[in-house]
Each structure stands twice: as C-alpha cells, then as structure tokens.
Amino acid sequence: MNNHNVSVEFPNLPARLGGLADLAENLWWSWNPAARMLFKMIDRQAWKASVHNPDKMLRDLPREVLEAAAKKTDYIRYYDLVMSRYRKYMANRLCSLFPDADNPSQVTIAYFSAEYGLHRSLPFYAGGLGFLAGDFIKECSDLSVPLIAVGFMYPEGYVNQRISESGWQENISIQLDRNQAAISKVFDGNGNHLIVQVPVVDPPIYVAVWKVDVGRVPLYLLDTDIEENDPWNRGISARLYIGDLEQRLRQEIVLGIGGMEVLEALHVKHSIVHLNEGHAAFALLERLRDRLQNGFSQEEAFTNVRQTTVFTTHTPVPAGHDVFPFPLMDKYFRDFWPSLQMDRDTFLNLGVHPDEPNKGFNMTAFALRLSGYRNGVSKKHGEVANRMWQGLWAGEEKEGDTIDFVTNGVHVPTWIEPKMELLFNKYLGPDWQADHDNPYLWELIDEIPDEELWKTHIWLKIKLFNVIRERARQRWTNDRSHPSVALACGTLLDPSVLTIGFARRFATYKRADLILQDAERLGKLLGRQNQPIQIVFAGKAHPADDPGKIMLQKIFNAARNPDFNGRIAFVEDYGEQIAQYLVHGVDVWLNNPLSPMEACGTSGMKASLNGVPQCSIPDGWWLEAYNGENGWSFDGGHTEGSRDKIDADLLYQVLEEKIIPLYYQVDEYGIPSGWVRVMKHAIKSTAAQFSARRMVREYVEKFYSKAARFTTEVA
Ligand SMILES: *Cc1c(COP(=O)(O)O)cnc(C)c1O
C-alpha cells in the first residue's frame, strides 16, 4: 500500500534467518503459536526474559546463538514452513465481503480508536475498549477487510500498578522503548521520520508517525513527544486519558484532526470512517472541511459525511462521554467554524445534548449527529443507548431504531490457549480455526472425552498458579516487602480448590468488592474444611479514581487478613499477559456490574471460549448468551433499595447451592462430570457467536457494505 516503511535492522541476525526480521515486525506472530514457537525454540530463557517480545529478543541475543539455530536442520525446516505460511497470509488480499460495492477495490475503511489492546509489549490500552479495537483489527486482517487503523503512541501507557503495604495503588512510571517493540518509523519522501502539523490549531502541534503491522492491517500511531513541540505539546500523547480537561481536548484534536491529516500525508486513500467511541470524532470536522473545499454545498457535505461514517458508542456510564466546556471550544475552534461556513452557535450546537444544553460540547452527541450508521455493543446496550440519546432526534426520528447494535466478540486465535487449541485440533479437525464462526462446528465439542478436557484445564490452572506465585516471590525478594504482601499476592493458592476469577478495570460500577458484602458468610465459604473456595482478583483503578482505589484497597486488605484463610489473592498490574493466564486457568469467571452499566463485557467470552464458565449478573452480552446450561446467572432485578446487598445474597446463594456442590461432585476417576458438562456448554455456546469474526462480518453487512455505495474521491 505504501513504501514508507523501512525494516529495522537486527545486526546479529544471520542471512539464512532473515525472515525473522519481517516476522518480528508484524504482530501476526502474536496470534499464531507456531510463529511464537519459532522464537521460543531459539532460546527459551531469552524468550521469557523478553516477556515474549520477538523484537526485543532478536536485538538482545548474541550472534552465536542465532547462528547456531541457523545451522540446525530441524529448526530450519520449521522456519521455512512458518515463513511460507506467513508470506502466503500476507499475499492474500482478496476480500469476499463486499459483493454489492460498485468497485470493491475502492473501499477502504479508516478506523479510529484512542486505544488498542494488541499485546503486552505495546502499552496502548486501558481496558475493554482497547481490546475490542485490537481484536477488531486482527480479525479484519484475517478476513482481508480493507482497513487501516489510527491511534496514539503512548510512551507511558496507562498505569503500571504496584500495591503498597497499606493496600494503596501506586503508579510506577515505565517508559516504552520504541526500539524494542514491533513499532517502526514511517518515513517521508526524503527518508526523514514523517512529521505532520495538525491543521488549524494555533500555536501549532506536530505529530510524528509510527506504524505497527497487525497482519495485513497497518496501524498508524501519532506521537507528539518530539523536539518540534514545546513541553506542553510533547505531553499530549504521553499517556491514555489524561485527567486535565484542556489537555484531553488537545489529545482528541490531535487524534481526530491530526489523524486525518496523517492519512492525507501518507496518500492513504480511504472512503469510510469508523469511529470506535467518540474520542476521535473531530475527524468528522476534517471530513466536512474537505468536502466543502471540493465544491460540495454544506448540505451535500453533511449528507455525504453521514453516508460514509460509522460510529460505535461503548458505554452508558456518563463519565465515559467527554464534554468540553464552550470557552475551551472557543479557544481551539475559533478559526475552524468559518472554514465550515458556520457561525459559532451553529458549530457548537453540533455537540449540544438537549438535556444538558449548557454543559458543553458532547463528543458522543456530535458523533451521533454526524454518523449515518450508529451502534451500541450488545442488544441490551443498543436499547439503553437509544433511551440515553433519544433527545437528539426529537421530532425528526426516523422509523426503526435510531441506534442499532452489534454485539462485541473476541479474536479467537488470540484468546484460545495453545494447549486447548491442540485439543480442538484433535476433536474438531485441524481446520477448525478457518471455520470457527460456524455454530455447527462446535457441536463436536461433545466428542472430547471429559477426562481430556478436565486434565487440560487442570494443567492450565497449575500454570496460572505458578505464574502468580513467581510474581509473589519476586515481589518478596526484590522489594523486601512485608510477608503479608507476598501472601496477598497469591502465595497460598491451592490448585485443588474451586477458584473464582475476577479481573477487570476497577471502575466502581463493576463492583469488585460485591462478594465482600457479608464478610462472615464469605469467610465461611473460604474457610470450609471440605469444599472451600478461593478468589483471585486483578485490576487497575484509573489514577484519578479514588473510590476505585478505595475498593481495591478493601480487597487487598482482605487478601492480607488471616480471617479469610489465605484464600483471597490480588495479582498486581493486570494487563494482557495476566489476563491470558487468568481467563485460561481459573474455574469460574465472575462478573457482577451494576446493571445496565456493562455495555457488553468481553473477558467472560475469553474465559468461556477456554471452558471457564461465567457466573454473572444478566447484563451486556450475558443476556444474549446465558442458556441455563453454560454458566450461572444471578440478579436481584431492579429492586429499589440496597441492590448491592440483594445481589450479594444471590451470589452467595448460587455459590452455595449450585456452583460449589457441582464442582466437588466427582466420579470414581476423580472427574467432576457435571462440571465438565457446563464447561462444554460454555465453549459451544460462545465460541462462534461471540467471536470477533461474527462481529466483523456483521459490521461489514450492516454498515460498511452500505456506506461503500456513497464513497467519493474525498476522504
Ligand atoms: C478483555 C480485557 C478487558 C475487558 O474485559 P471486560 O470484561 O470487558 O471488563 C480488560 N482488560 C484486559 C486486560 C482484557 O484482556
């Protein structure tokens, strides 16, 4: 598509293994176990030390080690096989999903997101929104959907979490080394690092452009940390979701308006814009301006932008929608509205929510008005979003739902555990991945003997506990921390005990502490002689969210409290890596948000796919997935009064009456066959339906293929 990318040098790499340089620079390896194995086989210790980052490993390894690998025939055979698969994958650009478009080769979607959760080595995410975006673009790559992605280079990421002895979340600052990850510079025509000026903003802001290759999808990252910028501007892309409102506004100007300018500088033609949440919505102002400059009337410009813009809203939580006060908008957009042939009021009204007209410019309201295709991320969330935003269309609402929905899904190759994948290869056939969104395929799960599925699960559980204990040991050794901290980090976990996992961002609506409501009742469940339970927690609070940090402290202190029998653990620094181990290795995945605040939820899908059933409040995706056999659902309904108490009581009840007895009921071979049945139902009912493949196909059918009919020469 463009030839700006110059491969980064790995000086120690022998020519015979030259392909590893290409492989390391494309995240394709991250969802292909055979490719990861290719790196691991060179040197297991170095692979581990790099935290599974080929780019870093190839830089750090001495030449002798790489040359030794190049001389081993079995390694070379394997190398040639994986490289040929990679080349074949990259060469296949045919997408069969746009049969209706006049000229399918003209369709390109520009996808904008403030975060991308792709791999542990790239700290460009905070939580679910990022993983959704990451899984989305990986699946677009697998399906050859012609998409390019735009995001931020955040050198400080989100939060690196360490819990103090008093249980308080501390943030440690870790700078990303841009040379030690699968990120490459994008160069301009003169061979210099491409730098673009954000249009209209004065004083000027410059962004440097980087690229991550996500299979066939290029992800362009904007970086303001360059010499051309003054210190305030340099900090714009320092980390995700900066608390300061003005800096946040500047962030969103850079992402939306700067992002469009970057695509233009790269001569990347695109015809559809998809906004993943409202942070990048200013991109639509650039689209309007472009059209007006190309001779469209104002009405034509608006119509055409709407016809070619998709907007996905992701949360009913009010704090999840940015609203910028009008004086701030004046400061940055005073020169912009004349270029749209608008006066101040008309311009600002584009972002006014009629229920709160004085609050400011609401990014979601703006994006909804300017997008012809809008959706929430589950059936329930679609309904909730319609209620939330119906004021926007007062009087001019068209027939049918104003906000549609596409339920989220997870990228199966990313989230399936490799041992589980081998088991599926054996019983679903070696080609199951190619057909994984076919529901009939998953009926074959019943072919797996209970014992084999159970043994695989126990193996993954032990692997999880080994990882947790290793982290606790390092904390104990490196930090000289108090012994109770090492215990709270999971030293006492027992693989024979029923293990509940709870891991997500510590936003208060997710109610991480719900299970602690009745400490005595919980203490009894944890302290039973027979059939005890244990709980593993993980998650980060936003640095500005003190209620979230207090909730976290409560849990950490419970983990340190001997009254809870050493059966509560808190794992620090939740991120992609720990998420992988947890969703593969616990026995039950717990989800208890205050409904209807969880728009969808995706971690439970990752768990279910691996045979870890979910126990959840009926909210988000669980309302579509729960069928009475694939997990558990508990709910106090919308009773007024103490919903936390009611929900907690129901949670204890489902644990006491259903989950615990079923788990410990084993046959003469030690297999809990009733439990394994639930595991199988969990896999069968989620693997196809809640895959990113099903999701991406739906976006193409519902939105992209329609928008493709209205594309013009203008971006
Ligand atoms: C999947 C995932 C999430 C999102 O999980 P929810 O269930 O939507 O809260 C957040 N963080 C990480 C690290 C994940 O892998």
Side-chain angles (χ1 to χ4, degrees):
M1 184 155 25
N2 71 80
N3 45 20
H4 298 284
N5 185 20
V6 174
S7 162
V8 186
E9 295 285 307
F10 295 103
N12 289 342
L13 198 60
R16 182 64 181 90
L17 299 181
L20 289 180
D22 297 345
L23 208 56
E25 292 291 316
N26 189 320
L27 287 183
W28 182 81
W29 55 257
S30 73
W31 70 92
N32 284 276
R36 294 200 299 273
M37 191 53 80
L38 202 54
F39 294 105
K40 191 172 170 181
M41 278 162 75
I42 298 175
D43 186 329
R44 292 181 85 90
Q45 224 26 58
W47 174 244
K48 199 171 167 191
S50 75
V51 201
H52 312 148
N53 175 353
D55 200 291
K56 176 164 166 52
M57 185 179 129
L58 288 187
R59 265 165 224 281
D60 291 351
L61 274 182
R63 175 168 269 275
E64 306 85 76
V65 177
L66 290 163
E67 276 172 355
K71 291 200 185 89
K72 284 194 207 131
T73 36
D74 52 346
Y75 184 79
I76 286 295
R77 220 180 286 133
Y78 192 61
Y79 165 87
D80 287 340
L81 174 66
V82 174
M83 286 312 301
S84 71
R85 283 194 191 144
Y86 170 65
R87 305 262 185 244
K88 206 161 122 190
Y89 178 92
M90 292 304 291
N92 177 13
R93 304 256 167 185
L94 269 181
C95 182
S96 59
L97 296 176
F98 289 90
D100 294 343
D102 291 340
N103 188 353
S105 66
Q106 292 287 304
V107 180
T108 303
I109 301 110
Y111 183 85
F112 284 76
S113 179
E115 47 174 307
Y116 290 90
L118 291 160
H119 184 259
R120 61 210 63 159
S121 56
L122 300 170
F124 306 148
Y125 62 86
L129 179 70
F131 283 94
L132 192 272
D135 282 11
F136 191 91
I137 63 175
K138 286 175 186 172
E139 190 60 52
C140 284
S141 168
D142 287 348
L143 288 172
S144 294
V145 174
L147 185 128
I148 48 177
V150 180
F152 263 123
M153 157 82 78
Y154 298 108
E156 291 172 31
Y158 179 54
V159 176
N160 290 100
Q161 179 193 59
R162 184 181 175 282
I163 312 297
S164 76
E165 273 179 31
S166 65
W168 196 247
Q169 170 176 302
E170 291 171 349
N171 308 328
I172 36 181
S173 178
I174 299 177
Q175 281 282 336
L176 171 72
D177 181 345
R178 294 167 174 77
N179 291 320
Q180 297 212 338
I183 312 169
S184 44
K185 277 183 184 169
V186 175
F187 295 97
D188 64 17
N190 302 322
N192 300 316
H193 195 176
L194 177 66
I195 290 174
V196 168
Q197 182 181 348
V198 180
V200 190
V201 183
D202 191 48
I205 302 173
Y206 298 94
V207 294
V209 188
W210 302 76
K211 187 169 83 147
V212 177
D213 284 306
V214 184
R216 304 176 184 116
V217 171
L219 162 59
Y220 294 104
L221 300 172
L222 316 183
D223 183 6
T224 60
D225 186 17
I226 48 174
E227 280 170 14
E228 285 77 355
N229 285 326
D230 64 30
W232 196 35
N233 283 348
R234 285 186 85 142
I236 288 176
S237 67
R239 70 192 85 86
L240 284 104
Y241 306 129
I242 288 176
D244 177 74
L245 209 55
E246 182 164 358
Q247 196 69 323
R248 176 83 76 98
L249 173 63
R250 288 149 48 83
Q251 232 176 17
E252 300 190 6
I253 290 172
V254 169
L255 181 62
I257 301 179
M260 289 295 286
E261 187 69 9
V262 164
L263 295 182
E264 189 168 329
L266 287 168
H267 311 293
V268 177
K269 290 272 174 248
H270 58 95
S271 40
I272 297 171
V273 165
H274 184 170
L275 303 171
N276 187 47
E277 198 47 289
H279 310 108
F282 291 136
L284 304 184
L285 295 176
E286 254 325 86
R287 300 196 87 196
L288 286 173
R289 206 165 65 101
D290 258 18
R291 278 163 182 69
L292 292 167
Q293 279 177 355
N294 276 276
F296 284 56
S297 73
Q298 208 183 51
E299 197 187 324
E300 286 165 348
F302 269 90
T303 303
N304 188 251
V305 167
R306 284 199 186 99
Q307 283 166 334
T308 53
T309 302
V310 183
F311 171 60
T312 305
T313 175
H314 281 268
T315 180
V317 180
H321 303 269
D322 288 315
V323 183
F324 298 110
F326 296 125
L328 262 186
M329 292 297 291
D330 285 338
K331 181 168 169 191
Y332 287 93
F333 288 95
R334 187 172 291 128
D335 296 331
F336 211 110
W337 59 70
S339 72
L340 300 180
Q341 302 159 17
M342 279 182 195
D343 59 26
R344 176 181 182 271
D345 284 354
T346 317
F347 175 80
L348 292 179
N349 275 333
L350 291 173
V352 165
H353 190 309
D355 299 348
E356 317 172 309
N358 300 321
K359 213 173 149 201
F361 192 93
N362 183 312
M363 295 297 278
T364 307
F366 170 64
L368 285 168
R369 283 200 177 96
L370 269 280
S371 308
Y373 312 89
R374 327 170 185 94
N375 71 292
V377 290
S378 70
K379 185 163 189 286
K380 175 70 183 269
H381 177 234
E383 292 161 12
V384 173
N386 269 303
R387 248 178 281 132
M388 253 176 104
W389 301 101
Q390 64 189 3
L392 289 189
W393 289 280
E396 45 179 300
E397 199 166 338
K398 294 181 213 84
E399 66 202 75
D401 274 345
T402 313
I403 301 177
D404 203 337
F405 74 93
V406 176
T407 304
N408 286 342
V410 296
H411 186 242
V412 169
T414 295
W415 294 104
I416 188 80
E417 204 285 331
K419 260 219 162 25
M420 203 55 90
E421 183 178 332
L422 290 178
L423 192 63
F424 290 1
N425 287 349
K426 192 164 156 194
Y427 292 98
L428 308 185
D431 293 333
W432 71 267
Q433 285 217 14
D435 193 30
H436 76 250
D437 61 340
N438 180 349
Y440 294 105
L441 173 79
W442 296 96
E443 293 302 316
L444 296 176
I445 285 292
D446 285 333
E447 306 276 325
I448 305 178
D450 287 359
E451 192 192 347
E452 262 190 85
L453 185 57
W454 183 246
K455 276 197 173 148
T456 305
H457 173 68
I458 292 298
W459 191 87
L460 296 176
K461 189 171 177 184
I462 290 170
K463 190 169 156 190
L464 163 69
F465 289 7
N466 288 345
V467 168
I468 293 176
R469 276 202 293 262
E470 177 59 21
R471 287 200 167 195
R473 197 176 65 78
Q474 280 179 11
R475 182 74 204 269
W476 161 246
T477 313
N478 300 346
D479 296 356
R480 310 267 134 190
S481 58
H482 190 272
S484 71
V485 172
L487 297 186
C489 289
T491 320
L492 295 176
L493 289 172
D494 175 352
S496 71
V497 171
L498 166 59
T499 303
I500 297 169
F502 184 102
R504 42 183 53 81
R505 284 184 306 113
F506 268 55
T508 46
Y509 79 88
K510 293 185 182 248
R511 300 193 295 186
D513 60 349
L514 187 78
I515 201 169
L516 294 173
Q517 265 274 324
D518 183 341
E520 208 184 309
R521 195 160 169 193
L522 175 65
K524 280 198 189 123
L525 292 176
L526 299 167
R528 286 181 175 187
Q529 282 298 326
N530 276 324
Q531 310 191 340
I533 63 169
Q534 61 195 355
I535 315 173
V536 181
F537 287 98
K540 298 172 181 173
H542 186 279
D545 178 15
D546 279 343
K549 288 190 202 166
I550 289 168
M551 198 176 261
L552 195 157
Q553 185 175 38
K554 189 170 157 193
I555 286 162
F556 197 80
N557 286 341
R560 284 172 46 143
N561 182 346
D563 288 347
F564 294 111
N565 267 57
R567 296 218 190 272
I568 298 180
F570 186 93
V571 184
E572 287 174 308
D573 210 33
Y574 182 55
E576 184 266 341
Q577 188 179 18
I578 282 293
Q580 291 277 5
Y581 290 116
L582 284 170
V583 298
H584 302 150
V586 299
D587 295 309
V588 185
W589 196 253
L590 178 64
N591 180 42
N592 46 228
L594 194 63
S595 76
M597 301 301 235
E598 192 68 84
C600 182
T602 51
S603 55
M605 300 173 186
K606 300 167 190 167
S608 292
L609 169 68
N610 287 282
V612 173
Q614 184 173 239
C615 173
S616 173
I617 293 267
D619 199 12
W621 76 287
W622 199 229
L623 283 163
E624 292 160 58
Y626 179 62
N627 63 15
E629 297 182 296
N630 58 352
W632 301 272
S633 193
F634 65 100
D635 181 20
H638 289 271
T639 333
E640 289 309 312
S642 175
R643 283 178 65 186
D644 288 354
K645 174 151 187 359
I646 295 166
D647 288 348
D649 282 344
L650 285 159
L651 172 58
Y652 299 129
Q653 198 182 339
V654 74
L655 284 168
E656 289 160 355
E657 292 174 8
K658 297 199 173 135
I659 297 179
I660 298 171
L662 191 68
Y663 186 84
Y664 286 107
Q665 196 179 69
V666 296
D667 66 14
E668 67 261 46
Y669 306 106
I671 312 293
S673 48
W675 186 270
V676 174
R677 197 174 318 122
V678 180
M679 292 173 67
K680 287 182 174 177
H681 278 295
I683 301 170
K684 274 200 256 184
S685 60
T686 58
Q689 187 58 24
F690 299 96
S691 65
R693 179 153 302 175
R694 188 273 310 149
M695 166 178 71
V696 168
R697 282 191 203 274
E698 249 181 76
Y699 273 95
V700 173
E701 280 160 26
K702 279 189 164 172
F703 308 136
Y704 296 168
S705 62
K706 290 184 188 147
R709 294 193 214 121
F710 299 102
T711 56
T712 67
E713 286 297 294
V714 189

